[in-house]
């Protein structure tokens, strides 16, 4: 265990903070000061010398030097929040996909250049050192990365927002490809320690499971419940600093780790059951062992529900403790000063947990507790897929969280009474609106609990928010129209342009100065430069350099040679049928057919890159990965194809890979079946970095198209309404028969051309495409997709036109900053004041 002062100090009992203990001179931000500090850590703290060959220790020493500089700002930010006595928001999320922290800390502290120089003077190369840092991969994909971008923007806007999550010992699995198949390897990201986090054992909380409930009357004759005979675990917080962009603010991400209570084993221990005692310790520690690697809910897994309650309970109690520290025991005005934003339904049990604390611990009556809870919670939905809506069996709840189930029943009874009063006799409506789904195995519908228990419900793009109130949540919309709103997603331009694309950052800043880094709307100012051929030349050169860098990675990780002059056509995201990587592959096979048939007049050489992880239990998604790899092998080995077409599957797609990929992409593939992708955020990263999008009218693509204009976007495919209308008479066999290109593609697939020594492995893929019930309607959009791809290829051959479109895409990306998204959350939902950190 790393040394941690907090473990060894007993708390000092004082009437006021001891300032003599904590007043320190500010640390310098120049190259010399950083280099001095670096040496101090390298030699004195880590005990290394000039013979040290590994880059790990230099990384650690640099991280420690930066951490000190963050620490003083962190303390002043928290003091400013306390002094302002301001309202705060807590972002509750089972996932925070942070990636690396080093480059981002330097960028936001404004010391990238001095740190680079300081290390250079010591004979060290920053880029090499930075490569040592493992990704903090505590998330699956979009939802987890969105949480990370939100934190960056809140710190930059100086909003008092704290992230609460879980410190998984194992994050998202590492993906290896063997013989074309995905293998999952554990991601032990904490093995070499984590210099960015601070353990805070003094703020540990106790979380209960199991047991049963009892009711009793108090001396005023009021009925109370208590939850007894529980098995408890400890939640130990680890804090990481979240620096704002050059503004002195440092916010907090607090991640909880589970641990056994001290008395965990006493009974069994004393009874001589040593191993059983240690086993129960194991059970406690298992809760935060591993991130569930599926991005659509895995229903009914007990440990997952435990994770959710563990996060919710520890966080609620933590906020209560802070309330009492700052404001004493009167909890009645709690809602005026606190807001919880629920990142999807995963932390929704927080609704019932807050009720439990207010009722059973604070002894409020139901009406008052409910008023507070309902004015405190806000829920964000991230999916329309019905299979991804969380439901938990009532029986599991009863065993694991009996008191919470009682509370949910009571919430539901009162909710249904309200429905009955509004629509007397409409029992069907009551059944539809019930938080409890009746049936053979009754279930708790978490989304309904979230809606009933919150004052705000939002979707993540305009289309998605509209479809929510027209479909999935229609009945609730009729009941409470004022709760529903849209907050279109974004990404932080600090990491996703300034940090990952230094070439473009310099070019843009030289033209319009650096204001865009904290105000992305300013990037519109580069639009006129699309008409400036010298500027276009430099823009093209930056893209080319970035493509060389990506080509090196592809060579290294896939053994495939990408020519940087070719069009880089990229689809990276989780592998899922609705995202239609399969449609992309069908197009690749079609291009292969054209080359083999000699149909190559006016050809645009193309390098197709596909990457992403499949949930370990999602067989069809894994088969699609295998298909991509098999098609790549056939195409890349065929001398007749040469440089006209290359295909690669990039293993282990993650935040750090995207930082190399998006600056190098020409064409961004956003090709989900309309109505299925809630928003997408990769689409925004690509656009910001000057890629053109080929995409459907889905999620935020629609808003991207609106911003950039249809001259600079390759639109194809059915609309959401057309998808719905076509469904009853969808006939893929006919579509295939009537499309000679698609027929030839299917012939190769069905004839085993890509599975020569593995007969039949792609049969389920063929069957899915040919099924009239294909939910993703791959065949329906094929022809339109091929035509859009042709338009893209033609556009790429006209370099002036392409580069100009590329510039216009970046120039039009202002809306897609999470700074804008966070302003909207704050204006419409949170109502926080911006609070600057105290002056040094
Ligand atoms: C739930 C229960 C049990 C196990 C796993 C899960 C689970 C985990 C992760 C369910 C869903 C997720 C992740 C969903 C997700 O990433 N959704 C994406 O969110 C992005 C940010 O809003 C959107 O841009 C994407 O469109 C959406 O797919």
């Amino acid at each position: 265990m790393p040394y941690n002062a907090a473990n060894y100090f007993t708390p000092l009992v004082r009437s006021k903070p001891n300032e003599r203990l904590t007043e320190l001179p500010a640390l310098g931000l120049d190259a010399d000061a950083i280099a001095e500090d670096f040496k101090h850590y390298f030699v004195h703290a880590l005990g290394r010398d000039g013979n040290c060959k590994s880059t790990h220790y230099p990384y650690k020493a640099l991280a420690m030097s930066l951490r000190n500089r963050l620490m003083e700002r962190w303390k002043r930010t928290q003091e400013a929040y306390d002094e302002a006595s301001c309202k705060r928001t807590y972002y509750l999320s089972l996932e925070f996909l942070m990636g690396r922290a080093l480059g981002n800390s330097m960028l936001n502290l404004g010391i990238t250049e001095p740190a680079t120089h300081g290390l250079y003077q010591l004979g060290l190369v920053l880029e090499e050192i930075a490569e040592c840092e493992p990704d903090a991969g505590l998330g699956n994909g979009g939802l987890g990365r969105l949480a990370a971008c939100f934190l960056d923007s809140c710190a930059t806007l100086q909003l008092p927002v704290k992230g609460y999550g879980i410190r998984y010992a194992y994050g998202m699995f590492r993906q290896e490809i063997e013989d074309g198949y995905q293998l999952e390897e554990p991601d032990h990201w904490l093995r070499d320690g984590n210099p960015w986090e601070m353990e805070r054992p003094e703020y540990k909380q106790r979380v209960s499971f199991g047991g049963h409930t009892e009711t009793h009357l108090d001396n005023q004759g009021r009925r109370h419940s208590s939850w007894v005979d529980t098995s408890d675990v400890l939640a130990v917080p680890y804090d990481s600093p979240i620096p704002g962009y050059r503004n002195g603010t440092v916010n907090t991400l607090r991640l909880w780790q589970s641990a056994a209570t001290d008395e965990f084993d006493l009974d069994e221990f004393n009874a001589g059951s040593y191993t059983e005692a240690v086993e129960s310790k194991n059970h406690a520690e298992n809760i935060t062992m591993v991130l569930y690697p599926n991005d659509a809910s895995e229903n009914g897994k007990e440990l997952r529900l435990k994770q959710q309650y563990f996060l919710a309970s520890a966080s609620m109690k933590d906020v209560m403790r802070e309330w009492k520290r700052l404001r004493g025991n009167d909890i009645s005005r709690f809602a005026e000063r606190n807001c919880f934003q629920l990142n999807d339904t995963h932390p929704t049990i927080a609704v019932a947990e807050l009720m439990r604390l207010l009722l059973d611990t604070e002894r409020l009556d139901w009406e008052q507790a409910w008023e507070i809870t309902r004015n405190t919670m806000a829920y964000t939905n991230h999916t329309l897929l019905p299979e991804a809506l969380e439901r938990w069996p009532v029986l599991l709840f009863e065993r694991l969280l009996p008191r919470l189930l009682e509370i949910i029943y009571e919430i539901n009874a009162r909710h249904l009474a309200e429905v009955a009063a509004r629509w007397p006799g409409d029992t069907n409506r009551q059944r539809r609106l019930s938080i409890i789904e009746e049936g053979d195995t009754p279930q708790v519908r978490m989304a309904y609990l979230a809606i009933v228990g919150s004052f705000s419900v939002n979707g993540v793009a305009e289309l998605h928010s509209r479809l929510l109130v027209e479909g999935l949540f229609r009945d609730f919309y009729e009941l409470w129209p004022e709760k529903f709103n849209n907050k279109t997603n974004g990404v932080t331009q600090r990491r996703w342009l300034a940090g990952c694309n230094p070439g473009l950052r310099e070019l843009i800043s030289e033209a319009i100065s650096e204001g865009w880094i904290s105000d992305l709307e300013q990037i519109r100012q580069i639009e006129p430069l699309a008409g400036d051929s010298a500027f276009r030349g430099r823009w093209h050169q930056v893209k080319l350099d970035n493509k060389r860098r990506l080509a090196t990675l592809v060579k290294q990780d896939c053994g495939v040679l990408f020519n940087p002059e070719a069009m880089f056509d990229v689809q990276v995201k989780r592998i899922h049928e609705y995202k239609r990587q399969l449609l992309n592959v069908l197009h690749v096979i079609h291009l292969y057919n054209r080359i083999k048939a000699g149909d190559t007049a006016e050809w645009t050489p193309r390098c197709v890159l596909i990457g992403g992880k499949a949930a370990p239990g999602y067989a069809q998604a894994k088969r699609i990965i295998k298909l991509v790899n098999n098609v790549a092998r056939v195409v890349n080995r065929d001398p007749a194809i040469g440089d006209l077409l290359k295909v690669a599957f990039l293993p282990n797609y993650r935040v750090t890979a995207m930082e190399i990929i998006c600056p190098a992409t020409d064409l961004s593939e956003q090709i989900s079946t309309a109505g299925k992708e809630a928003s997408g955020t990769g689409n925004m990263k690509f656009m910001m970095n000057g890629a053109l999008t080929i995409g459907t009218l889905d999620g935020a693509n629609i808003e991207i198209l609106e911003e950039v204009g249809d001259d600079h976007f390759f639109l194809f495919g059915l609309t959401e309404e057309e998808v719905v209308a076509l469904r009853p008479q969808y006939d893929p066999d006919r579509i295939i028969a009537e499309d000679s290109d698609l027929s030839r593609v299917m012939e190769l697939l069905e004839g085993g051309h890509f599975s020569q020594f593995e007969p039949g492995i792609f049969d389920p893929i063929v069957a899915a495409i040919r099924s009239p019930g294909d939910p993703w309607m791959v065949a329906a959009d094929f022809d339109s997709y091929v035509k859009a791809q042709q338009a893209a290829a033609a556009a790429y051959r006209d370099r002036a036109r392409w580069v100009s479109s590329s510039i216009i895409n970046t120039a039009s990306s202002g809306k897609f900053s999470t700074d804008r998204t966070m302003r909207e959350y704050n204006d419409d939902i949170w109502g926080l004041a911006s609070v600057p950190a105290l002056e040094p």
Side-chain angles (χ1 to χ4, degrees):
M1 183 182 284
Y3 171 76
N4 192 309
N7 288 334
Y8 300 91
F9 282 131
T10 46
L12 303 170
V13 182
R14 290 179 188 283
S15 54
K16 61 185 178 103
N18 180 356
E19 265 146 28
R20 270 191 317 141
L21 188 69
T22 55
E23 284 295 301
L24 288 165
L27 297 165
L29 298 180
D30 55 297
D32 291 341
I34 295 167
E36 275 314 302
D37 229 19
F38 173 89
K39 282 195 288 187
H40 163 76
Y41 280 109
F42 189 69
V43 178
H44 290 131
L46 300 170
R48 308 294 133 162
D49 60 23
N51 293 316
C52 175
K53 294 282 179 287
S54 115
T55 47
H56 171 72
Y57 295 99
Y59 159 68
K60 242 186 164 155
L62 179 58
M64 289 161 111
S65 315
L66 297 177
R67 199 177 77 163
N68 285 355
R69 285 157 175 79
L70 292 168
M71 203 66 76
E72 46 190 20
R73 290 162 179 78
W74 203 356
K75 178 169 156 273
R76 284 199 297 272
T77 305
Q78 301 318 311
E79 283 169 2
Y81 292 163
D82 281 1
E83 252 173 49
S85 195
C86 53
K87 182 176 183 183
R88 302 186 198 207
T89 287
Y90 310 94
Y91 199 75
L92 295 190
S93 178
L94 271 284
E95 307 192 6
F96 285 92
L97 193 40
M98 303 299 286
R100 289 178 176 159
L102 182 79
N104 189 246
S105 304
M106 292 190 301
L107 178 72
N108 284 11
L109 282 171
I111 59 170
T112 310
E113 288 211 343
T116 310
H117 288 140
L119 289 175
Y120 190 77
Q121 285 159 21
L122 301 174
L124 297 165
V125 179
L126 179 63
E127 284 82 11
E128 285 172 14
I129 291 175
E131 282 304 305
C132 281
E133 182 175 3
D135 271 32
L138 308 186
N140 275 284
L143 166 148
R145 181 56 229 177
L146 185 75
C149 286
F150 279 9
L151 294 183
D152 181 78
S153 284
C154 289
T156 296
L157 296 171
Q158 305 195 300
L159 296 174
V161 174
K162 181 168 172 176
Y164 276 113
I166 290 182
R167 184 178 182 268
Y168 302 105
Y170 294 90
M172 189 63 201
F173 65 79
R174 187 161 47 78
Q175 179 193 55
E176 288 183 4
I177 300 297
E178 202 176 282
D179 190 27
Y181 288 103
Q182 165 175 301
L183 296 182
E184 299 101 26
E185 296 290 337
D187 162 48
H188 196 179
W189 69 294
L190 293 166
R191 193 183 42 212
D192 299 326
N194 175 7
W196 304 105
E197 67 184 9
M198 265 233 297
E199 187 186 357
R200 296 293 211 127
E202 69 274 33
Y203 295 138
K204 64 179 182 276
Q205 295 288 351
R206 186 177 263 270
V207 177
S208 300
F209 293 97
H212 60 270
T213 64
E214 284 173 354
T215 57
H216 43 88
L217 298 177
D218 66 14
N219 40 24
Q220 286 140 39
R222 299 193 313 169
R223 239 160 49 99
H224 288 289
S225 290
S226 49
W227 183 10
V228 298
D229 287 341
T230 54
S231 331
D232 296 355
V233 301
L234 294 180
V236 182
Y238 288 72
D239 290 351
S240 296
I242 306 293
Y245 183 69
R246 303 189 189 182
N247 62 4
T249 288
V250 177
N251 281 344
T252 303
L253 170 60
R254 175 160 287 183
L255 301 180
W256 299 102
Q257 178 175 57
S258 59
T261 55
D262 293 337
E263 76 273 19
F264 75 98
D265 45 0
L266 269 189
D267 290 347
E268 276 170 318
F269 210 77
N270 293 336
S273 320
Y274 174 76
T275 48
E276 286 76 3
V278 176
E279 206 173 286
S280 83
K281 181 174 158 68
N282 263 333
H283 283 306
E285 288 171 357
N286 269 341
I287 295 178
T288 58
M289 194 59 79
V290 61
L291 166 79
Y292 275 85
N294 26 302
D295 62 345
S297 74
E298 177 152 323
N299 276 321
K301 283 279 191 296
E302 177 169 335
L303 186 62
R304 171 72 182 187
L305 182 58
K306 278 190 173 175
Q307 290 182 339
Q308 297 184 347
Y309 180 66
F310 175 79
L311 167 64
S313 180
S315 307
M316 293 297 113
K317 289 180 172 180
D318 199 41
V319 173
M320 282 286 188
R321 182 188 48 69
E322 274 290 279
W323 175 276
K324 293 187 174 177
R325 177 176 72 84
L326 290 168
R327 300 168 204 275
N329 287 332
D330 178 5
I331 205 92
S332 62
R333 308 185 72 173
F334 186 80
E336 290 168 32
R337 289 280 185 270
N338 295 290
C339 182
F340 296 97
Q341 189 71 42
L342 306 174
N343 199 18
D344 214 295
T345 50
H346 316 156
T348 290
I349 190 62
V351 169
E353 175 66 0
L354 182 55
M355 282 300 286
R356 188 184 71 83
L357 294 174
L358 295 174
L359 294 168
D360 300 357
T361 313
E362 303 303 322
R363 295 289 166 110
L364 301 188
D365 57 35
W366 183 278
E367 283 72 22
Q368 208 185 353
W370 185 236
E371 174 81 7
I372 290 173
T373 300
R374 235 194 187 180
N375 287 318
T376 310
M377 298 282 168
Y379 157 54
T380 305
N381 172 285
H382 296 265
T383 183
L384 288 159
L385 303 183
E387 65 268 31
L389 286 181
E390 277 195 287
R391 289 178 170 81
W392 293 105
V394 162
L395 283 175
L396 178 58
F397 248 100
E398 200 164 352
R399 184 158 54 77
L400 223 52
L401 306 167
R403 177 64 184 133
L404 289 117
L405 183 63
E406 276 180 9
I407 291 171
I408 292 171
Y409 279 153
E410 182 69 22
I411 293 173
N412 196 39
R414 289 168 184 253
H415 160 58
L416 292 181
E418 196 182 324
V419 174
R422 174 98 183 261
W423 290 281
D426 193 345
T427 50
N428 254 329
R429 189 185 293 264
Q430 286 181 48
R431 192 170 325 113
R432 291 202 307 272
L433 282 162
S434 174
I435 296 170
I436 306 297
E437 180 178 294
E438 297 299 341
D440 290 346
T441 44
Q443 314 248 332
V444 183
R445 296 162 162 161
M446 298 309 276
Y448 290 12
L449 177 60
I451 298 171
V452 174
S454 323
F455 65 92
S456 166
V457 178
N458 75 280
V460 291
E462 277 165 20
L463 173 71
H464 170 234
S465 297
R466 178 167 68 75
L467 294 177
L468 279 181
V469 300
E470 287 175 3
L472 222 46
F473 298 158
R474 191 192 180 116
D475 290 316
F476 284 100
Y477 181 61
E478 264 183 62
L479 187 56
W480 300 305
E482 67 286 350
K483 275 195 195 185
F484 290 82
N485 64 94
N486 172 246
K487 295 288 168 283
T488 298
N489 282 166
V491 303
T492 168
Q493 72 269 29
R494 264 85 57 193
R495 182 177 292 262
W496 295 113
L497 182 51
C500 70
N501 198 342
L504 213 55
R505 177 190 64 215
E506 270 171 44
L507 185 55
I508 294 166
S509 296
E510 201 186 300
I512 63 169
S513 90
E514 287 195 335
W516 60 273
I517 302 179
S518 47
D519 174 15
L520 195 61
E521 291 292 351
Q522 290 184 27
I523 209 159
R524 256 301 167 207
Q525 295 166 19
I526 65 165
E527 185 161 358
L529 293 168
D532 174 337
S533 72
F535 188 80
R536 283 201 305 269
R538 296 176 68 194
W539 190 274
H540 176 70
Q541 193 56 51
V542 169
K543 183 64 84 176
L544 205 58
D545 291 344
N546 291 335
K547 287 166 78 170
R548 286 201 190 96
R549 191 163 59 130
L550 176 57
T552 306
L553 178 73
V554 170
K555 180 79 212 359
Q556 222 176 70
D557 290 4
C558 321
V560 179
L561 218 63
F562 274 13
N563 178 356
E565 298 289 337
M567 177 203 237
F568 280 21
D569 169 351
V570 179
Q571 186 176 23
V572 285
K573 49 183 81 233
R574 287 304 289 260
I575 310 292
H576 203 295
E577 286 163 285
Y578 85 80
K579 295 176 186 281
R580 296 200 295 193
Q581 282 89 358
L582 187 51
L583 182 58
N584 190 345
V585 180
L586 297 186
H587 173 249
V588 168
I589 299 173
H590 166 67
L591 291 180
Y592 168 79
N593 280 337
R594 276 186 59 194
I595 299 169
K596 296 295 270 185
D599 177 17
T600 55
E602 314 233 296
W603 190 265
T604 303
R606 199 190 273 256
C607 299
V608 179
L609 186 66
I610 299 177
K613 292 172 184 176
Y618 189 172
Q620 187 78 330
K622 291 180 133 178
R623 218 173 267 125
I624 290 169
I625 292 176
K626 171 68 172 163
L627 177 62
V628 174
N629 280 300
N630 278 20
V631 169
R633 197 177 51 194
V634 170
V635 169
N636 298 335
R637 282 184 183 178
D638 190 332
I641 303 297
D643 252 6
L644 296 183
L645 178 63
K646 286 275 187 277
V647 188
F649 184 89
L650 185 80
N652 203 29
Y653 173 61
R654 61 199 186 283
V655 170
T656 294
M658 186 55 156
E659 289 173 6
I660 296 168
I661 294 167
C662 70
T665 295
D666 295 308
L667 188 65
S668 152
E669 299 270 352
Q670 307 300 336
I671 61 178
S672 52
T673 312
K676 300 299 175 191
E677 188 70 271
S679 162
T681 45
N683 47 2
M684 301 169 185
K685 294 164 199 165
F686 285 118
M687 178 201 203
M688 232 172 239
N689 285 276
L692 279 66
T693 302
I694 181 164
T696 49
L697 285 175
D698 199 15
N701 296 353
I702 297 173
E703 291 158 73
I704 288 177
L705 172 60
E706 237 165 60
E707 295 296 304
V708 77
D710 52 13
D711 287 345
H712 312 289
F713 186 111
F714 303 99
L715 178 65
F716 76 95
L718 300 174
T719 63
E720 189 272 332
E721 289 82 2
E722 287 166 345
V723 166
V724 171
L726 178 60
R727 218 172 267 303
Q729 68 255 21
Y730 182 49
D731 183 358
D733 281 341
R734 210 196 68 221
I735 295 173
I736 293 164
E738 289 172 0
D739 180 333
S740 55
D741 290 337
L742 184 52
S743 297
R744 273 192 291 276
V745 169
M746 294 303 288
E747 269 165 36
L748 286 197
L749 262 181
E750 289 168 337
H753 193 75
F754 304 105
S755 45
Q756 293 265 309
F757 303 103
E758 305 158 299
I761 57 167
F762 298 131
D763 289 357
I765 290 181
V766 168
I769 300 171
R770 287 194 175 278
S771 163
D774 173 17
W776 324 115
M777 297 189 158
V778 173
D781 279 344
F782 178 80
D783 177 57
S784 156
Y785 181 54
V786 167
K787 291 193 170 107
Q789 287 284 15
Q790 261 158 8
Y796 191 80
R797 283 197 300 279
D798 182 348
R799 178 176 295 169
R801 176 183 158 191
W802 185 275
V803 176
S804 155
S805 281
S806 167
I807 295 167
I808 291 169
N809 264 274
T810 300
S812 308
S813 66
K815 175 174 178 184
F816 303 106
S817 166
T818 35
D819 298 346
R820 187 268 313 147
T821 312
M822 291 297 87
R823 270 197 207 95
E824 290 180 3
Y825 273 84
N826 193 42
D827 290 348
D828 301 347
I829 305 174
W830 306 336
L832 308 175
S834 173
V835 178
L838 296 181
E839 293 294 329

